[in-house]
Amino acid sequence: MAANGLPTLGRVKLCDLLPTEGLPSDSYKLAVSTLSQSLAQYSAAIIQFPSADAALLRSGLDSARLYFHQRDSYPSTNDSREWCKTSGYYSDPHSWQESYEYRPGLTFTEAAAASMEFPPSGLPDIFGLLGKASRLVLDAIGFYLNLRSSPFTEILDNVPLRSNEVSSSVLSVCCYARPSFHHHHNLAEDEQLLLYSDHDHQLDKSLISFVKSDKAGLHVRDMHGQWILVDVDLGPQEAVVYPGLALYQATAGYVSPAVYRTDLNSMQGSIEGRFSLAFKLMPKSMTNLSCSEMRAAGHGVDAQFLIPVSVDDFMQRPHSNDELFNRQTLQSFTVPQSQDGSMKQMKKRKKSDSRLKPLPPSKRLRLEAQRVLKERVQEIADKKGIKLRFCNPKDCESNHNTMNSPCAHIKMEIGWPQGVPFVHPHDLPNKAKIGFLETYEPGWSETHDMELSLSEAAQGNQHVT
C-alpha cells in the first residue's frame, strides 16, 4: 500500500459509502479504498457530508459557542462518570477543556436537573447525523476487511432505541481554552497547554469517532510516527473520522486506533476558545468484544485477541498508550489478503524484539520460508478468487481423513477447486502449500529448493488434505 499511498488525508463523500443491493458500484469501491488507505497512512480521514447537512453542523458549533459563553459556573455539576451513563456538563482544568455530553435515553430532566440549565440546541439531530455516518464508515471498513454485511450490528445499540434503553454512544459538545476558564482556575503559566505534550496523547475507546471543530488544532499520529494536523482546512460540510480502541480489539489489531492530541498553543490570546462536536460510536455495555467475524472471514487472530472481552471490563481497564500502542509496532490497517505476509512479518519482528536471545539460524530460515510461501499462496488465491479460511488445528489433525472433517465443510462452503490441495493458513509451510503452488505455477518447487527442503524437514505430524 505504501507504493499506492495517498499524498494527503483522504476525502470521501458520505453518499458514496451508502451500500446498495447487488454488486458494489465503482464509486463505492473507490470510496472504501480511499477511506481505508487514509486510515492506514494517517489514522484518520475526512468525510464530506451532503451540503444540506452543513447548516446543521454550523448551527451545532454556534450553539456550543453560545452555551459556553453564557455559562459562568465551572465545577462539574454531574458526578456520574460511569462510561456509559455520562451526561451533562463536565470540566477538566488540567486540559483547559469543558464539555456537555448528550446521550439519548437519559431525558432532559435527568441530565439537567442538577445544573438547572438548558443544553446546547440541536443535539438530537446532530447525534442522528453523526451516528448514521459512523455506522456507514464502520460497514465500509468491514467491507474492506472482507467481512459480512454489517458485521458489528450485534455489539451496537438498536436503531431506534427500545423502551428504557440508554445509548452507549455519546455526542460531546466541547470547548477548549476559554480565557475566562483559565482565569477562574488561576492556572499558572507552567500549567498551561499540557494537552500538547507528547506524554499526554490520547486514544478513544470508541469504535469510530467523528470530530467537527471551528478552529484547527487536532493532530493525529501517522504510520511513521509524525503528527499530522488533520482539521486545518475543513469545509463547512466536512468532519474528521478516526478509529478507536474498541475497533482495534474487535478486528484483532488489523485496524490501528488513532493516537491524537489537541494543540492549544494557537488558542492563547483568543477571545473565544475552540469549539467542537465529537461523536463516539460505542459498543453496548452488555456485550463482548470478540474476533469471531475476523475468524469467520479467514483472518489470522493472535492469541491475545482469541478470548472475548467484556465491553464493561474493556472500558474500565487502563491502557498504556506508550507501552501498547507505539505506532512503530502497530499493524497497519491494510488489505488482509495481499498484505498478510507483511503484517505477519511485522508481528514476528515485534515478538522477536522481546526475546532475550536471537533465534537459531535454522529457526530463522524456517520462519522466512513460512513468510515467502504464505505470501505467494495468498497472491495466487487473490488472483484466482479463492478464499482462504482458517480451521481449528486440533480438529483438523484428528479428523482430516473423515468425510465430516471441518475442512470438508469449508471446502464445500467456499467452493474449493477440484484437484487442488487444500491450504491451511495455520500450518505453513507444508506439502499442501507446495502442491497448491505447483498447481498454478508448474516448476515452482525446482526454483525454490530452499523453501521446499525446509518445508519437508518441518513436516513432522502436519497433515495434507
Side-chain angles (χ1 to χ4, degrees):
M1 181 174 292
N4 300 318
L6 300 175
T8 60
L9 208 66
R11 275 180 159 83
V12 178
K13 292 182 178 179
L14 185 64
C15 60
D16 288 339
L17 293 179
L18 289 170
T20 57
E21 294 289 341
L23 296 175
S25 65
D26 290 340
S27 60
Y28 182 80
K29 290 188 288 186
L30 178 60
V32 169
S33 177
T34 302
L35 171 69
S36 304
Q37 290 188 54
S38 187
L39 294 181
Q41 292 177 240
Y42 305 107
S43 291
I46 295 175
I47 299 297
Q48 298 177 326
F49 290 84
S51 56
D53 295 329
L56 179 60
L57 295 174
R58 183 176 62 253
S59 66
L61 291 174
D62 290 342
S63 177
R65 189 176 296 107
L66 178 62
Y67 171 80
F68 287 108
H69 278 178
Q70 69 182 9
R71 184 183 179 90
D72 56 6
S73 59
Y74 297 93
S76 181
T77 57
N78 192 329
D79 295 330
S80 174
R81 295 304 291 173
E82 188 174 349
W83 75 270
C84 58
K85 294 182 180 179
T86 56
S87 66
Y89 175 85
Y90 298 95
S91 63
D92 183 0
H94 172 74
S95 60
W96 281 33
Q97 180 179 358
E98 302 168 85
S99 64
Y100 184 95
E101 298 193 355
Y102 168 74
R103 191 180 298 274
L106 292 178
T107 66
F108 170 75
T109 301
E110 294 170 329
S115 60
M116 296 299 293
E117 65 182 12
F118 291 97
S121 63
L123 297 187
D125 292 333
I126 298 173
F127 185 97
L129 174 67
L130 298 181
K132 181 179 179 180
S134 297
R135 290 174 182 255
L136 289 177
V137 169
L138 193 61
D139 286 349
I141 292 174
F143 179 85
Y144 196 72
L145 291 174
N146 206 28
L147 307 183
R148 66 186 181 92
S149 299
S150 303
F152 303 105
T153 299
E154 292 185 359
I155 64 173
L156 295 176
D157 288 332
N158 289 311
V159 177
L161 291 172
R162 305 299 185 259
S163 299
N164 300 320
E165 286 185 338
V166 176
S167 172
S168 58
S169 300
V170 63
L171 172 64
S172 299
V173 182
C174 304
C175 176
Y176 296 89
R178 182 157 58 117
S180 56
F181 183 78
H182 162 67
H183 296 309
H184 177 86
H185 288 280
N186 297 317
L187 297 179
E189 290 298 324
D190 58 357
E191 293 179 302
Q192 298 181 18
L193 312 180
L194 293 180
L195 194 59
Y196 193 66
S197 167
D198 280 338
H199 302 290
D200 201 22
H201 50 252
Q202 301 174 346
L203 297 100
D204 284 350
K205 290 190 176 182
S206 61
L207 292 162
I208 294 294
S209 293
F210 264 92
V211 174
K212 172 65 176 177
S213 56
D214 67 338
K215 294 183 179 69
L218 178 62
H219 291 252
V220 176
R221 200 160 66 182
D222 68 9
M223 64 184 297
H224 302 296
Q226 302 297 315
W227 290 102
I228 305 296
L229 184 60
V230 295
D231 58 352
V232 63
D233 57 351
L234 288 184
Q237 77 280 14
E238 294 179 333
V240 177
V241 65
Y242 55 84
L245 206 52
L247 188 58
Y248 172 82
Q249 180 70 30
T251 59
Y254 280 80
V255 181
S256 300
V259 180
Y260 67 92
R261 67 187 185 188
T262 304
D263 176 10
L264 301 182
N265 289 285
S266 60
M267 295 296 103
Q268 293 190 85
S270 172
I271 62 174
E272 289 188 337
R274 177 178 181 269
F275 301 92
S276 66
L277 305 171
F279 176 86
K280 297 179 183 179
L281 183 68
M282 308 291 287
K284 293 188 296 187
S285 61
M286 301 303 291
T287 55
N288 294 321
L289 294 174
S290 70
C291 300
S292 57
E293 295 292 344
M294 298 294 289
R295 292 198 301 271
H299 296 287
V301 176
D302 284 351
Q304 69 187 85
F305 299 105
L306 288 176
I307 300 176
V309 178
S310 165
V311 170
D312 272 334
D313 291 343
F314 182 82
M315 294 300 170
Q316 297 175 43
R317 177 194 310 165
H319 294 89
S320 171
N321 301 346
D322 294 326
E323 178 182 351
L324 298 179
F325 301 107
N326 187 320
R327 289 293 295 173
Q328 300 302 320
T329 59
L330 272 178
Q331 300 178 34
S332 295
F333 172 42
T334 176
V335 181
Q337 286 86 357
S338 60
Q339 310 297 332
D340 187 67
S342 62
M343 283 193 294
K344 294 300 182 184
Q345 188 179 16
M346 290 174 67
K347 287 188 286 185
K348 288 171 186 174
R349 283 201 302 265
K350 181 179 178 181
K351 292 178 181 177
S352 63
D353 290 342
S354 64
R355 292 191 173 98
L356 296 179
K357 59 181 180 180
L359 292 171
S362 59
K363 179 67 173 179
R364 291 200 301 270
L365 286 174
R366 187 165 65 85
L367 290 177
E368 179 63 14
Q370 289 177 345
R371 184 188 66 80
V372 172
L373 278 173
K374 188 167 185 177
E375 279 188 326
R376 189 60 193 138
V377 167
Q378 196 73 64
E379 288 175 4
I380 295 174
D382 292 342
K383 293 178 181 178
K384 298 292 182 180
I386 298 174
K387 183 177 179 181
L388 301 185
R389 291 286 297 272
F390 282 83
C391 49
N392 186 296
K394 184 178 294 184
D395 293 341
C396 238
E397 292 169 1
S398 59
N399 299 302
H400 68 275
N401 288 323
T402 62
M403 293 299 293
N404 62 345
S405 70
C407 296
H409 291 293
I410 293 176
K411 287 182 183 179
M412 184 179 300
E413 178 186 349
I414 65 178
W416 191 263
Q418 292 288 336
V420 178
F422 189 55
V423 183
H424 300 270
H426 62 72
D427 61 4
L428 284 169
N430 69 6
K431 292 181 180 179
K433 286 17 163 230
I434 304 299
F436 180 91
L437 294 171
E438 282 287 347
T439 300
Y440 293 108
E441 294 186 356
W444 186 93
S445 301
E446 296 178 2
T447 59
H448 296 77
D449 293 335
M450 184 271 290
E451 288 86 358
L452 181 59
S453 60
L454 286 172
S455 174
E456 291 176 340
Q459 286 299 298
N461 59 356
Q462 291 180 344
H463 61 275
V464 182
T465 58

